[in-house]
Each structure stands twice: as structure tokens, then as C-alpha cells.
Amino acid sequence: MAADTVEGRRTLLVTGILDARREGQPVTFEAEGVELEYDDRTIRLELDAEQRDRLDALLSAYHVFKIKQPGTRRAADGVVYLSAVTDAKHAADFVDAAFREVYELGGEYALNAVDEA
């Protein structure tokens, strides 16, 4: 699945998140070589130092999302896990904002969703 408009990306994100919840399988969203994984109300991002700073700024606007270490291991360097206990629409807004602001893709990027099943 792919989308390159604001409305299309939002629909793709909400649908992907709802499908992941219903099927119990992660979904990976990809744009311009950047991947972001949503799995069981957790978001996984790979970030460099500048992207991490931008993520911290974004999190101040999305208070429901919190950095969360995996329960069984320490996250690899450059990998951040976020608790995403919220409705699918709010999670989709955050994921879109992460692509636009954290990864600096702006508002005109094409998004793909890959079901991990």
C-alpha cells in the first residue's frame, strides 16, 4: 500500500495501525528510505543524534507518547521505542509528524506500509 497525499497518508496510517492491532502483527511504514515500525502500541524508530533532538521536541507536543525501553533487553544504540497507548487517529498523527519533523521529509512525501505478517 502506498500514499502520497496528506489524506492518503492519514488513511494509510490509520488503516495500518488498526490492522496491526487487530491481527497482532507489526506494520512498517516507510518513506524515502526511513522506516518506522508500529507493533502492539509501541513505535520503533532509528535515529541519529540530531533526529533524537527533534524527537524530543516532537514529544513535548504529543504528551501521551513516552520513551520506553524493551522489557527484555536494552535498545540498540540509535533505536528508540515509544509507548503509543492512544487511539489509532492520534497515533497516525504522531507517525506522520515524525516523518515530517523528526526525519525532515516535509509535507510532500510518499508513504508505504508493509504488513509484517
Side-chain angles (χ1 to χ4, degrees):
M1 295 186 286
D4 61 2
T5 65
V6 173
E7 297 82 15
R9 287 193 311 262
R10 181 171 175 85
T11 299
L12 181 61
L13 287 164
V14 170
T15 300
I17 289 167
L18 289 173
D19 288 349
R21 289 179 179 175
R22 183 175 43 257
E23 297 168 10
Q25 297 291 325
V27 60
T28 299
F29 297 106
E30 187 275 336
E32 297 185 29
V34 174
E35 292 184 350
L36 188 155
E37 181 183 270
Y38 179 91
D39 183 18
D40 192 26
R41 299 182 190 266
T42 300
I43 297 173
R44 181 186 184 278
L45 304 98
E46 292 186 24
L47 308 166
D48 63 25
E50 290 178 7
Q51 292 165 338
R52 176 60 192 265
D53 289 343
R54 291 190 295 267
L55 173 65
D56 290 341
L58 183 62
L59 289 174
S60 69
Y62 287 86
H63 302 288
V64 71
F65 296 88
K66 307 286 184 209
I67 294 176
K68 171 186 167 185
Q69 285 288 352
T72 58
R73 64 193 185 285
R74 177 172 149 58
D77 287 341
V79 175
V80 175
Y81 290 87
L82 300 175
S83 169
V85 181
T86 187
D87 64 88
K89 290 179 182 177
H90 195 66
D93 287 344
F94 178 83
V95 170
D96 183 56
F99 279 115
R100 287 184 289 106
E101 298 174 27
V102 174
Y103 295 110
E104 296 186 312
L105 298 184
E108 300 298 324
Y109 69 93
L111 180 70
N112 294 301
V114 180
D115 188 348
E116 300 290 322

